[in-house]
Structure formats: C-alpha cells, structure tokens
Amino acid sequence: MRIRRATTTEAPDINLIPLIDVLLVIVIFLVVSTTFMQPSQLEVDLPGTQSAKEDTSPPDALRIRIGRDGNYAFGAQGILNESQLRRELTKTLSAVNAGEERRAIVEADAAATHQSVVVVMDMLASLGIARVSIATAGGKAP
C-alpha cells in the first residue's frame, strides 16, 4: 500500500499574536522593575546612623542636596550657588498655596561643612519653612 502525502503550495503563516504577548510581558516587567528616582547631578554620600528607619518623608517635600565641595542641588536642578538656590526656592514656594505647610529635606554629604548645612537651614527658615529634616543613610555609622 502506498501512502501519498498531500502536497500544499501555501506559504507558511507567521502568527504575530504570541510575539505581541511576549513583548507586552517584557514591557510590563521593565515598567514594574524600573525604579523612579529624581536624577541629580550632585552625588551625596549621606552620613550613617545606628537606628535605621524607612523613608517616611512626604512626596511633596523640598529636597536640597549639599555636596562635599559646598555646591547645592535642588530637585532635578544642577549645581547651584547660594543666590541661585534662594531664587529657585522662592520661585517654588511662590507657586504653593498660602495655607499649605511645606517641608524640606536636607541631604548633606558626610564630608560637607557644617556652615553649608546651616546656610541652607537658615535660608529655609527665612522663607517660612519650619519643618526641616536631615537625611541619613541608616546602618552605616562606624
């Protein structure tokens, strides 16, 4: 008995639905695994503490970074001097409702001078921000 194979002249079909499914899963994985941080041009090595607490700072808090060389950064703004920092803070605070209380977080490098931290805290106080926190890196103290 002779078995004949059916001959087809159709070109093979490429099914795009599994490809789209795989690409969507990859995109979802990348979106979920990506951390969203504010980029800053000023790297700061925060001083450590023995008692580590998680970051419970409000998301609308003003973040001012102080580098080891005395430079300042505000949010995504680059390296600023004192007058530029005051101007940026004033501009940001003018856009806020009058009754709303603002908070600030000072992220000073471990090697930053005490004077630069005091200058920023004095500047914040003169602009009416009474609630100022100093950021630390938990568990890194000697």
Side-chain angles (χ1 to χ4, degrees):
M1 179 185 300
R2 194 171 187 180
I3 300 175
R4 291 187 189 182
R5 292 188 179 185
T7 58
T8 60
T9 58
E10 274 183 40
D13 240 359
I14 297 177
N15 196 352
L16 292 178
I17 294 174
L19 176 67
I20 293 170
D21 290 342
V22 169
L23 289 176
L24 282 175
V25 168
I26 291 172
V27 167
I28 290 171
F29 174 75
L30 290 175
V31 167
V32 169
S33 65
T34 303
T35 58
F36 298 101
M37 295 183 62
Q38 278 188 342
S40 179
Q41 297 173 354
L42 186 64
E43 280 203 27
V44 175
D45 182 26
L46 295 175
T49 61
Q50 292 294 340
S51 59
K53 291 185 178 181
E54 31 180 281
D55 185 19
T56 57
S57 62
D60 63 337
L62 303 172
R63 291 189 179 269
I64 297 117
R65 305 186 97 185
I66 304 171
R68 67 181 65 225
D69 52 357
N71 289 328
Y72 304 102
F74 175 59
Q77 297 288 328
I79 297 173
L80 308 169
N81 60 28
E82 288 178 33
S83 62
Q84 291 172 329
L85 179 63
R86 180 178 288 279
R87 195 172 29 243
E88 290 297 323
L89 285 170
T90 305
K91 188 184 340 176
T92 302
L93 291 173
S94 66
V96 177
N97 297 337
E100 187 178 334
E101 180 185 34
R102 290 303 298 241
R103 297 178 181 185
I105 300 171
V106 177
E107 299 175 352
D109 193 277
T113 62
H114 186 72
Q115 178 64 36
S116 58
V117 176
V118 170
V119 165
V120 169
M121 292 178 77
D122 185 45
M123 188 181 306
L124 291 170
S126 70
L127 292 172
I129 299 175
R131 301 197 62 172
V132 178
S133 302
I134 297 177
T136 61
K140 290 172 113 180

